[in-house]
Amino acid sequence: ILNVEQSPQSLHVQEGDSTNFTCSFPSSNFYALHWYRWETAKSPEALFVMTLNGDEKKKGRISATLNTKEGYSYLYIKGSQPEDSATYLCACFMNYGGSQGNLIFGKGTKLSVKP
Amino acid sequence: SAVISQKPSRDICQRGTSLTIQCQVDSQVTMMFWYRQQPGQSLTLIATANQGSEATYESGFVIDKFPISRPNLTFSTLTVSNMSPEDSSIYLCSVEVERTPTALYQETQYFGPGTRLLVL
């Protein structure tokens, strides 16, 4: 079973709080981990692509880490702002069943930041 | 990057009818994909739209239910046929601008804003 799990399902924080959430995936047959941000009524927007164990990426106040051996990635938001409110999706690129490989998405973590 | 538009943005349809969703990209792209997200579920790949040939469907999805066209490198359509309430979902088009065969797992996908479909 090729499951990508995200936790928590939803998160409510106050403006200025820092927060983090988790993406877990099968560590075997791993190629890459993608993070997306999806604001309501907008297109999902790519944040990071990570491939190497121990990789860390940063974009402004948002950063992500990757552990391919144990099969998880963390996304961190420092000093959350109301405009960070969105659903954060992670997707694992997997090659399975003879296919060329595709992105397998988690259900997402819905973040709400209150002013 | 790529800018993607979808039409319609939302629709309410009666069961048994069909709806065609259009996806337009502002530049020529290598790969085009169709996804759906059912309520409370993950974004799931329906098929890869191939230019000039039949789409490649994922397990659980068939051409009779989800016929796809891709007449050129900037446009694709997805039809949801003989709809039932279980087809109520958000349908998204995505693209990869280019694809490097030796590193396709790193390619960023750019998504359209989605089509929100409710089937009564």
Side-chain angles (χ1 to χ4, degrees):
Chain A
I1 296 177
L2 303 173
N3 276 344
V4 176
E5 304 288 343
Q6 290 188 248
S7 63
Q9 183 177 356
S10 64
L11 197 54
H12 298 264
V13 302
Q14 289 294 134
E15 182 176 355
D17 288 349
S18 293
T19 187
N20 67 85
F21 23 92
T22 306
C23 173
S24 60
F25 52 88
S27 55
S28 61
N29 210 24
F30 170 85
Y31 285 84
L33 194 287
H34 297 239
W35 280 101
Y36 286 85
R37 176 170 62 197
W38 192 1
E39 295 180 62
T40 302
K42 294 188 177 180
S43 304
E45 172 198 359
L47 290 174
F48 306 115
V49 179
M50 296 188 289
T51 58
L52 300 175
N53 185 45
D55 209 0
E56 291 189 33
K57 294 279 178 85
K58 187 174 182 181
K59 186 177 184 178
R61 293 178 291 99
I62 303 176
S63 60
T65 61
L66 178 66
N67 183 322
T68 61
K69 293 184 179 180
E70 296 182 36
Y72 64 84
S73 175
Y74 293 138
L75 188 79
Y76 301 92
I77 302 179
K78 184 178 179 181
S80 302
Q81 300 296 309
E83 58 264 31
D84 295 328
S85 297
T87 296
Y88 291 81
L89 301 173
C90 79
C92 199
F93 189 95
M94 296 183 192
N95 195 330
Y96 53 92
S99 75
Q100 63 180 355
N102 290 305
L103 288 179
I104 307 297
F105 282 85
K107 292 183 180 180
T109 292
K110 185 172 183 179
L111 175 67
S112 298
V113 183
K114 294 183 180 178
Chain B
S1 65
V3 177
I4 302 149
S5 60
Q6 285 185 233
K7 286 196 291 188
S9 60
R10 60 178 66 239
D11 208 341
I12 300 173
C13 300
Q14 296 297 318
R15 69 174 67 205
T17 62
S18 298
L19 177 72
T20 296
I21 303 168
Q22 298 180 5
C23 176
Q24 179 73 55
V25 193
D26 68 340
S27 59
Q28 293 186 346
V29 295
T30 304
M31 306 294 292
M32 294 184 79
F33 306 95
W34 287 99
Y35 288 84
R36 78 172 179 190
Q37 186 185 44
Q38 294 175 300
Q41 300 301 310
S42 307
L43 204 54
T44 302
L45 181 64
I46 297 171
T48 302
N50 300 310
Q51 194 252 331
S53 65
E54 189 173 292
T56 304
Y57 290 85
E58 296 301 305
S59 176
F61 298 97
V62 295
I63 188 171
D64 289 347
K65 176 67 176 177
F66 297 102
I68 288 170
S69 78
R70 189 180 173 191
N72 56 50
L73 294 177
T74 64
F75 185 78
S76 178
T77 67
L78 168 76
T79 298
V80 186
S81 302
N82 188 24
M83 289 184 284
S84 66
E86 292 71 37
D87 294 318
S88 299
S89 297
I90 302 174
Y91 291 86
L92 292 106
C93 167
S94 77
V95 306
E96 289 177 7
V97 177
E98 293 182 8
R99 173 166 275 209
T100 305
T102 56
L104 53 90
Y105 49 86
Q106 295 187 90
E107 299 296 340
T108 294
Q109 288 191 21
Y110 300 92
F111 284 85
T115 295
R116 285 154 178 78
L117 171 63
L118 176 64
V119 184
L120 301 177

